[in-house]
Amino acid sequence: MTSASDIFLAGASRGVGREIAQYLRAQQLKVKALLRTVAVAAELERIGIEVVLGDALNVEDVERAMLTAEPIHTVISTIGGLPTDVERPDYPGNKNLIDAAVKAGVQKFILVSSIGAGNSVVAASPQVLAVLGKVLAEKDKAEQHLIASGLTYTIIRPGGLKSEPATGNGVLTEDPHIIGSINRADVAQLVGRCLNSQLANNKILSAVDRNMLFGQTEFAEFTLK
């Protein structure tokens, strides 16, 4: 499927990151995952993922995991905080990953962000912004740090996330006004397809299910081939 055989994944313990881990291994790709706790380590190792324990908020942990003799082709980060977190990793954790990726000579960095960050703030409702405004601002800072890093990047901003099986109807668009829902498994498929797509390089893309749109339904889909 891809020559991106050495992938470093941050955020694999839950949500979109877990779906990405499963998708990549189904494609027989070599994956190393950074985990903050051992809770799901055995599950990931069972499907063939190399696990390294460390906290993205700790620079030393990140560099120990990434600056090794084994080259990393692509870093994929889905990390984000929980409401209970004292310090959310959305910006500082991703900053550490991005900086280490630069030192490691990584060829590509795929950041899973969120609709509502950056110029897609126009798609978010006042109610969403009232609840998630601070989180989205942190995600925007992470996006901007990645863009300024000099790394080849793809930023994917999913809409509202659902934990259902993949529908196959996940689509990408450069239109920042689009908002809707998408299943986490479909986000994982889109991330996987971006791995080797030259067209996705240095792009910021919103991800939605074409059958779960809110409001505006006409837009230009972004093609990866």
Side-chain angles (χ1 to χ4, degrees), residues 135-192:
V135 173
L136 294 171
E138 290 290 294
K139 290 184 182 297
D140 179 52
K141 286 170 65 177
E143 292 183 5
Q144 294 306 315
H145 191 72
L146 177 56
I147 292 166
S149 71
L151 292 166
T152 297
Y153 66 86
T154 301
I155 295 169
I156 297 177
R157 297 169 173 165
L161 293 166
K162 296 186 174 183
S163 297
E164 302 290 338
T167 66
N169 294 317
V171 294
L172 298 169
T173 180
E174 291 185 90
D175 188 336
H177 298 87
I178 293 301
I179 191 165
S181 296
I182 185 169
N183 294 347
R184 290 177 173 85
D186 285 300
V187 177
Q189 291 186 9
L190 293 172
V191 168

Side-chain angles (χ1 to χ4, degrees), residues 78-117:
T78 69
I79 63 171
L82 296 169
T84 53
D85 289 344
V86 175
E87 182 180 8
R88 294 183 62 93
D90 298 87
Y91 171 63
N94 278 313
K95 179 182 184 298
N96 290 340
L97 291 166
I98 292 162
D99 293 346
V102 172
K103 290 184 180 181
V106 166
Q107 294 184 44
K108 191 167 185 173
F109 196 112
I110 299 177
L111 176 63
V112 178
S113 181
S114 176
I115 288 179

